[in-house]
Amino acid sequence: MNDKDWFEVVDGAAILQGDVLFRCPVFQPDIIIQWPPTSDNQQGFRVRALDLVVMTQSCDLENDKVQEVLLARLVAWPDVVRNEIAKCNEAIMGSKFRKALVEGGFPALSLLHKREGSPGLPWSVVDFHWLYTLPKTYLSGFAASCGSRLRLRSPYREHLAQAFARYFMRVGLPHDARVFEKEGDVKP
């Protein structure tokens, strides 16, 4: 298995689940001082260029069932390491962390294989903590302006969707069943 199994190179305005969009502009509100804004306190927006992956289902995109597209932030592995070290999380540098990431042990993160060539991609992580929506027409126009770009192939596209579903459907139980670990012994 190699990186060519993971991605295909596409161009044009059509967007599908698993499309990688580098430096895509997203709009975020500035820090809110007072809501609703007054004439003295105008609400502003800033534009950030982020690497994103399309998460909306391809069938919904192709059949015009959505007007807004869900995107998740894509972060290059070296940037993930730098960010976590800045937070004093040295564990990220260990092989145990990488093994758990490969095995899906972090529900909010999904690993994407590196891709050599052009367009290229270093080992990267899709971070489900950072989700964005953009109008489909806007995103299609942006995709058309990108030239060649990456798209996850099947089954990696579905694997990413499943990772997102696992993250999104987590249930925090209101009780602690860990006592079962000590009380669960049954004598034959």
Side-chain angles (χ1 to χ4, degrees):
M1 178 177 324
N2 61 44
D3 61 351
K4 292 185 181 19
D5 294 333
W6 279 66
F7 300 98
E8 62 183 308
V9 178
V10 298
D11 58 20
I15 51 174
L16 296 177
Q17 184 179 53
D19 279 12
V20 176
L21 300 168
F22 293 113
R23 301 199 43 76
C24 182
V26 295
F27 309 93
Q28 297 177 309
D30 279 335
I31 297 171
I32 297 172
I33 298 170
Q34 176 184 345
W35 191 258
T38 64
S39 59
D40 296 336
N41 174 24
Q42 293 298 317
Q43 179 66 29
F45 289 89
R46 60 189 162 128
V47 179
R48 295 181 66 197
L50 301 175
D51 297 339
L52 302 169
V53 177
V54 174
M55 298 303 301
T56 300
Q57 295 275 341
S58 293
C59 59
D60 290 337
L61 293 165
E62 291 178 316
N63 294 311
D64 291 324
K65 301 248 176 158
V66 294
Q67 294 181 14
E68 297 283 322
V69 178
L70 181 65
L71 304 132
R73 181 117 184 243
L74 178 65
V75 185
W77 178 248
D79 293 335
V80 172
V81 171
R82 273 191 291 280
N83 292 340
E84 289 301 312
I85 289 175
K87 296 182 209 172
C88 298
N89 180 3
E90 300 283 329
I92 197 164
M93 295 181 63
S95 62
K96 284 184 181 180
F97 187 95
R98 290 190 306 276
K99 182 178 186 215
L101 184 58
V102 168
E103 293 172 348
F106 300 103
L109 305 175
S110 185
L111 182 68
L112 292 189
H113 201 289
K114 69 179 179 177
R115 183 181 188 279
E116 305 292 336
S118 181
L121 180 72
W123 286 104
S124 297
V125 173
V126 180
D127 187 342
F128 302 133
H129 289 117
W130 297 96
L131 300 173
Y132 304 89
T133 59
L134 289 172
K136 183 182 174 193
T137 54
Y138 171 83
L139 208 56
S140 292
F142 177 77
S145 74
C146 289
S148 296
R149 56 192 165 82
L150 298 176
R151 176 177 288 158
L152 279 170
R153 292 183 188 267
S154 186
Y156 305 103
R157 174 178 45 241
E158 292 83 4
H159 179 75
L160 176 64
Q162 185 179 40
F164 179 65
R166 279 193 309 272
Y167 171 70
F168 202 74
M169 68 180 202
R170 292 172 302 146
V171 176
L173 297 176
H175 62 82
D176 186 2
R178 292 191 181 148
V179 70
F180 176 76
E181 293 174 10
K182 296 176 183 162
E183 297 177 5
D185 290 340
V186 176
K187 306 256 188 235

